[in-house]
Amino acid sequence: MKQLQEKILKEGTVLGQGVLKVDRFLTHQVDPQLMAAIGQDFANYFAEEKITKVVTLEASGITPAVFTALSLDVPMIYARKSKSLTLSDELLTSSVYSFTKQVTSDISISRHLLTEEDTVLIIDDFLANGQAAKGLIELCQQAGANVAGLGIVIEKSFQSGRQLLEDAGIHVYSQARIASLDNGEITFVEKETIHG
Ligand code: 5GP
């Protein structure tokens, strides 16, 4: 998505350790026009998949996920994070190691919200090592739901997430793919533009 790439170049900042800060339009402050375009783009891309639910992880997956769900006209579910869960039969649960926060969280969705009748589109803001997506896929599998694909706003292609998920047979679509953040420069896989 060209509009997204331009926004990343204009308002994104590179932190050390391969982290891109996008809190001016995605992860803290939100640009609703851009999010609406993002949602429509995901909905168009997965239009043939007969999606019944969009699933994401709180907090920063929620905005792109809800706009995608709006465009697809289906509900959106966000998995909740907590430090440790008392296991309950009513919950689908999994563990996710966070790349940015370097902590492991348990994530959960109420069992009654996802069923084997569902075809799920998983949406997340970033794909780094694929742990968040893997945890969400596990929740869908526990429910017996079909995962139609994974929609990512910003993929860091220099990390291993895409490989991990494709090896697991998941269809991954990313709207912006970053090849490198070296030396504070954002380079897209498509080599469209560079910025310091
Ligand atoms: P993964 O599980 O794929 O390693 O990491 C994905 C999660 O980590 C995303 O849900 C996102 O919240 C966070 N994340 C990973 N890399 C970045 C980054 O460069 N910038 C920001 N803002 N979040 C990131």
Side-chain angles (χ1 to χ4, degrees), residues 15 17-23 26-27 57-61 81 96-101 124-134 152 154 156 158-159 161 165 181:
L15 304 181
Q17 276 120 21
V19 173
L20 180 67
K21 194 170 174 197
V22 287
D23 66 350
L26 178 60
T27 59
L57 181 58
E58 70 175 357
S60 42
K81 283 180 198 165
V96 171
Y97 177 74
S98 161
F99 168 80
T100 38
K101 300 197 179 114
D124 206 2
D125 58 339
F126 273 90
L127 177 61
N129 294 315
Q131 296 306 302
K134 188 166 155 271
I152 293 292
I154 303 174
K156 295 190 296 181
F158 54 90
Q159 291 182 254
L165 296 161
L181 294 174

Side-chain angles (χ1 to χ4, degrees), residues 29-48:
Q29 178 169 262
V30 166
D31 177 338
Q33 297 293 351
L34 178 63
M35 293 304 129
I38 278 173
Q40 192 59 57
D41 183 68
F42 282 136
N44 293 346
Y45 188 87
F46 290 102
E48 304 302 316

